[in-house]
Amino acid sequence: MGGLQRFEQRLESMISGVFARAFRSAVQPVEIAAALQRECDNNAQVLSRQRRLVPNDFHVELSQPDLDRLQPFDTALVDDLTNQLRDYAEEQGYVFPGPISIDFEHADDLTTGRFRIRSVAKAEVSGNASDTRLTRASAYLEVNGTRHPLDRNIVVGRGTEADLRINDPGVSRRHVEFRVRQGPVPQIEVHDLGSTNGVLVNGQRVASALADDGTVVKVGNTTMTVRVVEEPA
């Protein structure tokens, strides 16, 4: 029995067939499961002979009627879709850069029975800064929905010795350093630390560059945005 068949049977037994009846003429859960697998297949990036990086952040866009039908079951469905996707990734040698996230959203241009999926590989980000430091910081980095203060020099990388750790296989252990000179408007310099894949600042590969509010820095598959809050005179 294939993985999708097992997935469909688990759903039916979990809710005694109610889900299947509710979706008889609409988007079928098994179709979403198959589309998530294809999304991984189509966006896999080779890491090594036996490992490939795939997206872990998925947005399933649906018509409003389909979204309404899904609402009573969305939590259980997300859990089962996540487990099914993990099993498929293990079979295929796929690697997720962070936790799997699956969201269901409304799209005005879709009719009943139609859907589409948007995905991105979103690396898990961790640092050791306190909430107090972030609150007091006049500059910070936005990375994958998280904020990290630029109140001192920080090293960004994949290794445990980095101040800001990004679980992205395209990021070196010590990839880039943000050097900060405090003042009414902080001065921030971006320095490549001899990384394997380089550093892009506003789309240009650089060894070092100045950064101000809105500067976009890309390392590996991860994009960081510098934010500067000018203190009042």
Side-chain angles (χ1 to χ4, degrees):
M1 183 184 300
L4 288 179
Q5 288 178 305
R6 292 195 299 271
F7 167 75
E8 195 171 34
Q9 287 185 359
R10 286 199 303 272
L11 276 178
E12 291 176 353
S13 63
M14 178 177 64
I15 54 180
S16 303
V18 174
F19 194 99
R21 290 196 296 273
F23 276 76
R24 186 171 296 137
S25 60
V27 171
Q28 300 295 322
V30 70
E31 294 177 321
I32 297 175
L36 289 171
Q37 291 184 1
R38 288 195 300 272
E39 193 71 11
C40 289
D41 295 338
N42 294 337
N43 293 281
Q45 302 179 45
V46 176
L47 299 178
S48 65
R49 185 174 180 179
Q50 297 180 328
R51 297 171 67 246
R52 286 176 287 176
L53 179 74
V54 293
N56 61 315
D57 187 66
F58 302 91
H59 298 266
V60 183
E61 298 182 343
L62 302 146
S63 68
Q64 192 61 55
D66 281 326
L67 195 60
D68 292 341
R69 290 186 183 96
L70 178 69
Q71 195 67 42
F73 318 107
D74 59 354
T75 300
L77 178 57
V78 166
D79 289 343
D80 223 23
L81 285 169
T82 299
N83 291 333
Q84 194 272 342
L85 203 54
R86 284 199 187 101
D87 292 343
Y88 182 70
E90 186 174 351
E91 294 172 2
Q92 301 298 318
Y94 291 159
V95 177
F96 298 110
I100 297 173
S101 173
I102 303 174
D103 293 321
F104 297 96
E105 302 173 355
H106 168 241
D108 290 327
D109 62 327
L110 293 177
T111 56
T112 301
R114 299 181 66 85
F115 70 96
R116 62 172 168 258
I117 295 178
R118 295 181 291 105
S119 68
V120 65
K122 183 178 287 188
E124 186 175 14
V125 181
S126 59
N128 53 15
S130 64
D131 291 338
T132 301
R133 279 182 56 197
L134 181 58
T135 302
R136 293 177 177 175
S138 55
Y140 58 88
L141 278 178
E142 290 182 343
V143 193
N144 290 351
T146 63
R147 290 183 175 186
H148 305 271
L150 287 172
D151 56 355
R152 63 190 69 175
N153 296 351
I154 68 167
V155 172
V156 177
R158 186 167 43 85
T160 56
E161 67 272 23
D163 302 301
L164 180 60
R165 297 180 296 280
I166 300 179
N167 184 30
D168 181 336
V171 173
S172 299
R173 296 184 65 83
R174 288 171 51 87
H175 198 112
V176 62
E177 183 177 18
F178 289 83
R179 299 176 186 171
V180 183
R181 183 181 300 172
Q182 295 296 343
V185 179
Q187 294 182 341
I188 301 168
E189 297 179 358
V190 182
H191 291 267
D192 187 346
L193 297 178
S195 64
T196 301
N197 295 317
V199 176
L200 297 180
V201 175
N202 291 333
Q204 301 295 317
R205 182 160 181 162
V206 300
S208 62
L210 293 175
D212 52 20
D213 185 48
T215 295
V216 175
V217 181
K218 185 173 183 180
V219 291
N221 297 291
T222 301
T223 298
M224 303 176 285
T225 304
V226 175
R227 295 299 182 191
V228 178
V229 181
E230 185 172 353
E231 297 179 358

